[in-house]
Amino acid sequence: MEIFYTEQVADGICMLDREESGHIVKVLRHRAGDELSLFDGRGNLYRCRLTDASPVAAKARVLEQIPDWGAVPYRLTMAVCPTKRNERYEWFAEKATEMGVDAIVPVIGDHSERRIFKTERLKKILLSASKQSLKGRIPAVEEPCTVREFIRRCDPSALRLIAYCFDMDGARRKAVGDVLDAQPGRPVSILIGPEGDFSREEALLALDSGFIPVHLGSSRLRTETAALAAVAALYVKYLCTSV
Amino acid sequence: MEIFYTEQVADGICMLDREESGHIVKVLRHRAGDELSLFDGRGNLYRCRLTDASPVAAKARVLEQIPDWGAVPYRLTMAVCPTKRNERYEWFAEKATEMGVDAIVPVIGDHSERRIFKTERLKKILLSASKQSLKGRIPAVEEPCTVREFIRRCDPSALRLIAYCFDMDGARRKAVGDVLDAQPGRPVSILIGPEGDFSREEALLALDSGFIPVHLGSSRLRTETAALAAVAALYVKYLCTSV
């Protein structure tokens, strides 16, 4: 199944941009009357009929709208520090999109080497990963903020987890899977630190703010691997309900 | 913590090859008498003292040997069809090594586009991933074989799972996590198909041979993502026991 992307849906008509129009009409040789599947990146899949096979501005009439298409049965925000090599962050974001994530927040920690992060390229990757994995909703990529800012503004009603690799007095880290099992149904936000881990001050602020400290096992995981292990923990937990 | 690799350990002496010797002596400027941590890729960590700081053939005396160092509490074989783009397979292998896998078997399916797979490059990646994630044992990379060969020769005492995306009469696919929970402690072998999925004949052969059909959710995961989700499912399941 191939799906196409459009942001512009109004009065039952989908307007396709130059890129998608060219792909549909020039590359795939679709003609007026053909049925297409479009999605708006906001959760909706549209079964459509191509009405104007323009190679630069095609139009399609909506036959059926399917909301929450390909949605996972949970809400997950991943706040992950940028990796030294951008491609590692990009594949984390691609894989997280395939499994299911609602928002990705690049957070800058006290020990982050990379303190600047451009989100444009990431958004393109998430669009194609959403197409590939048949998800109606493209994960949001938020503008970078510091770890402290994220801790302060993170929704307190969410299950907020922070994964760090050191010990803090009186704060025993639980296995991430156990915490997820214990509190099903709540939105989840997971903070993953940089190569140099969080600072003790960041960890303390998170604990004081109600974050639950978790561990991801004894393996020394790279930032992007730790982040993906956390996404997979949630994905696998809800598998049984998702087929 | 930095660890170095040597295959040659005899009579309490570790012999380092040209590459590691150069790294230790020229790059890191270690001198005779310094303490080093070496691993042999077969599960052993050696706490050593550098006795000969040769930049091409350094030697170190073993002070302490730690077996099963960094081992995960399960045995996992991942039989995964090559991806069209090699780098996608390589990152699966790197991430699987970080989380924990004992053997990776490139398997060629009826629908595999890529039917040739070179293992040399992968072995280098797994060595550095083992170093990075502090694992004493480097996962084995077996020579490629067909899916049918793997099914036939796969140890019947292992929990053998096959993940495909279609329905077969009388063989309901279970969520991979549920199957792993139901049969803890057994060695696990997981078969992951190519972009075009397994053929029905391959699936039938697997079922007839005692493989359990599993699903990885409703998301359309790329081959390497499906494989990593399965690795993560097992990794997260045993997290609680691993710190």
Side-chain angles (χ1 to χ4, degrees):
Chain A
M1 170 182 194
E2 181 155 31
I3 62 175
F4 306 96
Y5 175 63
T6 178
E7 282 178 335
Q8 298 180 57
V9 184
D11 308 327
I13 300 296
C14 298
M15 317 281 285
L16 288 138
D17 66 13
R18 176 176 290 271
E19 188 179 349
E20 290 289 57
S21 298
H23 186 58
I24 291 167
V25 176
K26 285 197 211 143
V27 179
L28 298 173
R29 308 252 172 205
H30 279 296
R31 295 283 167 259
D34 289 358
E35 273 202 20
L36 301 174
S37 294
L38 310 181
F39 79 117
D40 61 6
R42 298 182 295 275
N44 298 298
L45 183 80
Y46 300 95
R47 213 161 50 71
C48 297
R49 186 173 309 285
L50 191 61
T51 51
D52 177 351
S54 158
V56 292
K59 295 188 186 63
R61 182 162 47 78
V62 174
L63 304 174
E64 182 187 13
Q65 174 178 356
I66 304 160
D68 293 324
W69 184 73
V72 287
Y74 51 85
R75 288 195 57 76
L76 174 61
T77 297
M78 290 300 299
V80 181
C81 290
T83 49
K84 284 181 211 151
R85 288 168 55 199
N86 215 17
E87 70 198 58
R88 292 186 170 274
Y89 203 91
E90 288 171 355
W91 86 238
F92 149 69
E94 177 185 291
K95 298 318 171 194
T97 300
E98 287 181 55
M99 291 191 203
V101 65
D102 296 284
I104 293 173
V105 189
V107 287
I108 311 300
D110 292 344
H111 298 165
S112 286
E113 287 194 19
R114 272 191 64 211
R115 311 193 71 82
I116 293 165
F117 188 88
K118 298 207 175 358
T119 59
E120 274 323 303
R121 200 179 130 92
L122 205 55
K123 288 176 179 171
K124 287 197 182 66
I125 289 167
L126 298 201
L127 166 57
S128 75
S130 300
K131 277 184 176 182
Q132 191 277 330
S133 59
L134 307 182
K135 301 233 176 295
R137 192 180 304 277
I138 303 170
V141 180
E142 298 187 12
E143 283 309 302
C145 67
T146 66
V147 165
R148 290 160 203 264
E149 283 164 25
F150 180 80
I151 290 170
R152 288 198 196 91
R153 71 163 201 228
C154 188
D155 174 7
S157 71
L159 178 61
R160 295 164 296 161
L161 311 182
I162 180 169
Y164 51 79
C165 304
F166 47 85
D167 289 318
M168 299 275 287
D169 299 345
R172 197 166 166 289
R173 292 174 291 146
K174 301 188 179 74
V176 67
D178 295 352
V179 175
L180 295 172
D181 289 343
Q183 306 199 21
R186 283 172 72 187
V188 181
S189 292
I190 305 179
L191 246 176
I192 302 290
E195 274 84 349
D197 209 342
F198 293 106
S199 68
R200 298 187 78 83
E201 295 69 25
E202 288 169 328
L204 202 57
L205 177 64
L207 298 180
D208 289 346
S209 308
F211 278 64
I212 298 173
V214 296
H215 71 75
L216 293 159
S218 57
S219 297
R220 182 168 69 181
L221 303 178
R222 289 181 181 279
T223 292
E224 71 277 11
T225 316
L228 200 67
V231 171
L234 201 55
Y235 180 69
V236 169
K237 171 179 163 53
Y238 283 98
L239 266 192
C240 31
T241 68
S242 64
V243 161
Chain B
M1 171 183 192
E2 181 155 31
I3 60 175
F4 307 96
Y5 175 64
T6 179
E7 282 179 334
Q8 297 181 59
V9 184
D11 308 326
I13 301 295
C14 298
M15 317 280 285
L16 288 139
D17 66 13
R18 175 177 291 271
E19 188 179 348
E20 290 290 54
S21 297
H23 186 58
I24 291 168
V25 176
K26 284 196 212 141
V27 179
L28 299 173
R29 308 261 172 194
H30 279 297
R31 295 286 166 256
D34 289 358
E35 272 201 20
L36 301 175
S37 294
L38 310 180
F39 78 116
D40 62 5
R42 298 183 294 275
N44 298 298
L45 182 79
Y46 300 95
R47 213 161 51 69
C48 296
R49 187 173 309 285
L50 190 61
T51 50
D52 177 349
S54 158
V56 292
K59 294 188 187 65
R61 184 163 44 81
V62 175
L63 304 174
E64 182 188 13
Q65 174 177 357
I66 304 160
D68 293 325
W69 185 72
V72 287
Y74 51 84
R75 288 194 56 76
L76 173 62
T77 296
M78 291 299 299
V80 181
C81 290
T83 50
K84 282 182 213 150
R85 287 169 55 201
N86 215 18
E87 70 198 57
R88 292 186 170 276
Y89 203 91
E90 289 172 354
W91 87 237
F92 149 69
E94 177 185 291
K95 299 317 172 195
T97 301
E98 287 181 55
M99 290 191 203
V101 64
D102 296 282
I104 293 173
V105 189
V107 287
I108 311 300
D110 292 344
H111 298 164
S112 287
E113 286 195 18
R114 272 191 63 211
R115 311 192 72 80
I116 293 166
F117 187 88
K118 297 203 176 2
T119 58
E120 275 323 304
R121 201 180 129 91
L122 205 56
K123 288 176 180 172
K124 287 196 182 66
I125 289 167
L126 298 201
L127 166 57
S128 76
S130 299
K131 276 185 177 182
Q132 192 277 328
S133 59
L134 307 182
K135 300 232 175 299
R137 190 181 303 279
I138 303 170
V141 180
E142 299 186 10
E143 283 308 303
C145 66
T146 66
V147 165
R148 291 161 203 263
E149 282 163 24
F150 180 81
I151 291 170
R152 289 197 196 91
R153 71 164 200 225
C154 188
D155 173 9
S157 73
L159 178 60
R160 295 164 296 162
L161 311 182
I162 180 170
Y164 51 79
C165 304
F166 47 85
D167 289 318
M168 301 273 288
D169 298 347
R172 194 165 170 289
R173 291 173 292 147
K174 299 187 179 76
V176 67
D178 296 351
V179 175
L180 295 172
D181 289 343
Q183 306 198 23
R186 281 173 71 187
V188 181
S189 292
I190 304 179
L191 246 177
I192 302 289
E195 274 85 348
D197 208 343
F198 293 106
S199 69
R200 297 188 77 83
E201 295 70 24
E202 287 169 329
L204 201 58
L205 177 64
L207 298 180
D208 290 345
S209 308
F211 278 65
I212 299 173
V214 296
H215 71 74
L216 293 159
S218 58
S219 297
R220 182 169 67 181
L221 303 178
R222 291 181 181 277
T223 293
E224 72 277 10
T225 317
L228 200 67
V231 171
L234 201 55
Y235 180 69
V236 169
K237 171 179 162 55
Y238 283 97
L239 265 192
C240 31
T241 67
S242 64
V243 161

